[in-house]
Amino acid sequence: MPAAHIEAGRHASQWSGQVFSCLQEFAAQRTNAVLLTLADVDRLESGRRYPEPGLGFANNRWRTFYHCHEADVQQHPDEHGHFHIFTDIGNQTWTHVAGLGIDASGQPLQWFAVNRWVTDGPWLERTEFLHQLDTTSDREDDPLTGRWLFALLQLYRSTLSDLLAQRDAQIQLHAKVQDRAAVLEDPALYTLAVQPVELQSMLENHLLY
Amino acid sequence: MKRTHSRIIMGATLGAAAIAVVVDHTRQRLPEPHKQLASQEAVIIIEEGEEIPTPSGECGTSASPGRRSSPCSL
């Protein structure tokens, strides 16, 4: 078996363990990442960011916020809302990595990538994303939601790499008929790529066999 | 050998059940989102001739390219 394959398997097992550990903490409190994020919120409003300045994690090099919106503009028919995840690529320059859609019971549904104009900031290259993952580590004193998200980012490393490749392929396709810079700002292009999340199966695959 | 094999399968079955139980305990109903109160919405000044941003500009699947150009920025 090739060494890279073995290393990928070891990586997935390690981060499956981390995700499972976070799930055990959620389970003990009968909660999940979204409910924890909304713990102090009296009235959940569509379009608002929770928490408003974003939740930092992994040495504050990653940040997220959760929000939801009107039913007619959801990313997925079962989606309640989604986390937008950003990473600091230097000097507080934040770039969008991916969105993580969540269903009405707080379970992850799918990863998605959006066009540049949606989230602003520089365009995150796939290699830069992998570098960010390789050069950051989580912290025990991070909020549980942050630790869960970071473990998911690590566990879905190759899926997210594929997502960004799929996103770039879409941009390239549209760039055949208009300028690439214009494609990145085209309001008609919103979601560029989607990858489903089957977390329970993923954990079974990497923790049991 | 047969006995060892059974133990492995039994171990895997118990493990899968444990994962399912933990995941199940995290399935908790999320609150229904309400429409944002009008008083809390951002005030957008539209200049003459400028396009009016659509309500779905709040990180929806479409938005006006006008003032709210990056609805889901950090």
Side-chain angles (χ1 to χ4, degrees):
Chain A
M1 191 181 282
H5 194 80
I6 295 170
E7 175 55 25
R10 191 197 60 77
H11 180 89
S13 295
Q14 179 197 335
W15 288 103
S16 290
Q18 287 287 95
V19 170
F20 188 63
S21 169
C22 293
L23 291 180
Q24 285 179 304
E25 287 188 55
F26 287 135
Q29 301 172 51
R30 295 290 195 276
T31 189
N32 54 53
V34 178
L35 281 180
L36 271 190
T37 303
L38 302 177
D40 299 326
V41 175
D42 293 330
R43 178 188 158 92
L44 176 65
E45 293 183 355
S46 53
R48 289 178 74 94
R49 294 155 174 78
Y50 299 97
E52 183 56 65
L55 176 77
F57 58 96
N59 289 301
N60 227 19
R61 286 182 62 191
W62 297 76
R63 195 173 285 184
T64 190
F65 65 79
Y66 184 79
H67 70 176
C68 40
H69 34 72
E70 306 299 316
D72 58 334
V73 289
Q74 285 168 342
Q75 297 276 346
H76 185 284
D78 296 331
E79 186 186 279
H80 173 274
H82 48 251
F83 285 101
H84 276 291
I85 303 163
F86 298 79
T87 186
D88 176 10
I89 54 171
N91 300 318
Q92 294 289 297
T93 303
W94 293 93
T95 177
H96 188 255
V97 175
L100 178 62
I102 304 286
D103 72 13
S105 62
Q107 305 304 305
L109 280 171
Q110 62 177 15
W111 297 103
F112 61 89
V114 291
N115 204 357
R116 199 215 70 85
W117 66 267
V118 179
T119 52
D120 205 11
W123 192 246
L124 179 65
E125 299 296 341
R126 197 156 63 112
T127 50
E128 181 73 25
F129 160 68
L130 295 174
H131 173 77
Q132 288 292 103
L133 277 186
D134 289 341
T135 56
T136 31
S137 52
D138 56 345
R139 293 167 56 108
E140 275 185 28
D141 57 352
D142 274 341
L144 180 53
T145 297
R147 280 187 282 131
W148 176 74
L149 275 175
F150 190 70
L152 281 179
L153 287 164
Q154 291 283 6
L155 176 58
Y156 282 89
R157 174 192 170 96
S158 65
T159 301
L160 287 164
S161 178
D162 291 346
L163 180 86
L164 297 185
Q166 198 183 332
R167 174 205 67 173
D168 291 347
Q170 277 296 309
I171 293 292
Q172 215 167 353
L173 189 69
H174 287 277
K176 286 179 180 169
V177 289
Q178 63 174 327
D179 181 62
R180 185 175 184 271
V183 174
L184 294 175
E185 306 307 317
D186 186 349
L189 292 176
Y190 190 99
T191 304
L192 297 171
V194 166
Q195 289 281 345
V197 174
E198 298 285 350
L199 184 56
Q200 195 169 323
S201 308
M202 184 74 132
L203 295 177
E204 287 171 3
N205 287 341
H206 295 296
L207 291 176
L208 302 183
Y209 306 108
Chain B
M1 183 65 194
K2 193 175 177 183
R3 188 177 171 139
T4 308
H5 186 65
S6 299
R7 278 183 187 163
I8 291 168
I9 290 172
M10 179 60 86
T13 306
L14 284 174
I19 290 172
V21 167
V22 167
V23 169
D24 206 45
H25 284 171
T26 69
R27 288 186 207 283
Q28 304 292 332
R29 193 86 196 153
L30 303 182
E32 286 289 324
H34 298 274
K35 204 170 178 176
Q36 198 170 50
L37 293 173
S39 60
Q40 293 176 343
E41 286 178 354
V43 175
I44 302 169
I45 300 166
I46 309 296
E47 289 175 8
E48 199 175 324
E50 196 175 20
E51 193 179 343
I52 299 170
T54 58
S56 59
E58 289 283 359
C59 206
T61 50
S62 65
S64 162
R67 292 296 177 84
R68 271 191 176 276
S69 56
S70 299
C72 302
S73 61
L74 193 60

